[in-house]
Amino acid sequence: MKPVRTHSLLLLFAVIVTLIVGAVYGYMSHAVGNSVEKSSAARASVLAAQSNSSRDQAYMQQYQLTAVDWARLPEFFVASDDILSFIEAVESIGQVTRATTTLSNIDADNLDNAATGTLGSIRAHVDSDGSWTAAMRTLMLAEVLPYKTAINNIRLDSTVTGPENEARRSWRLSFDIRATTIARHLPTATPTPAQTPTPPSQ
């Protein structure tokens, strides 16, 4: 009976050890799995942060490279309180090309009561009389005006004047021009209250 009892105790001990080892293995496996998941999540967070940082740096570099252009952007729009400058710029083309240049049908959106930054447009019809070279230069200079413009309805006609043996051909260029305007309201100076003069002391 004694050997059987000894074998039973050994078997029971082996079962207990197996259960303990299995429990420890299961716990360690679960702990390692959690650790791996946390490590992967932390690494993903670090990579995401690095990616966001790199993207932010790229945005800042791009902004710094284009800061000058952004600062000049308002210059490409005709200020609502300076429409006359645009009209004079178009008329001055004729002085450069030696063509007789006139503007008509000038019409601009009223932005007096619009919020600062509101966009509108100014429209005009341009006629230019002169030589072929003057006509082509007029159109070229109109297209490169330092504003956001659009040119439409271009027409070019020629006329012959003078006797047949002294005939002279001239050209009339006409087109519609439209420029983008932007509401800009300069601050008005606040009047200072009038001061009552101090009577001289007796």
Side-chain angles (χ1 to χ4, degrees), residues 165-177:
N165 59 341
E166 298 180 0
R168 183 176 181 180
R169 183 179 296 275
S170 62
W171 296 85
R172 160 160 286 201
L173 171 71
S174 64
F175 56 88
D176 295 328
I177 187 170

Side-chain angles (χ1 to χ4, degrees), residues 88-103:
E88 292 175 345
V90 177
E91 290 179 336
S92 66
I93 293 177
Q95 300 175 5
V96 177
T97 62
R98 299 184 181 278
T100 304
T101 304
T102 58
L103 270 72

Side-chain angles (χ1 to χ4, degrees), residues 95-118:
Q95 300 175 5
V96 177
T97 62
R98 299 184 181 278
T100 304
T101 304
T102 58
L103 270 72
S104 60
N105 300 330
I106 301 173
D107 179 36
D109 295 337
N110 187 353
L111 301 178
D112 292 344
N113 298 320
T116 300
T118 301

Side-chain angles (χ1 to χ4, degrees), residues 14-30:
V15 171
I16 293 173
V17 171
T18 302
L19 293 175
I20 292 174
V21 171
V24 171
Y25 176 80
Y27 173 77
M28 293 299 295
S29 177
H30 180 70

Side-chain angles (χ1 to χ4, degrees), residues 32-76:
V32 170
N34 288 340
S35 177
V36 170
E37 290 180 359
K38 291 180 180 179
S39 177
S40 299
R43 183 177 181 183
S45 299
V46 171
L47 292 176
Q50 291 177 346
S51 177
N52 292 336
S53 178
S54 299
R55 186 166 58 248
D56 292 342
Q57 290 178 358
Y59 288 156
M60 288 301 299
Q61 290 176 355
Q62 185 64 25
Y63 174 77
Q64 291 172 355
L65 290 175
T66 59
V68 175
D69 295 333
W70 281 103
R72 292 188 56 195
L73 187 60
E75 300 177 6
F76 294 98

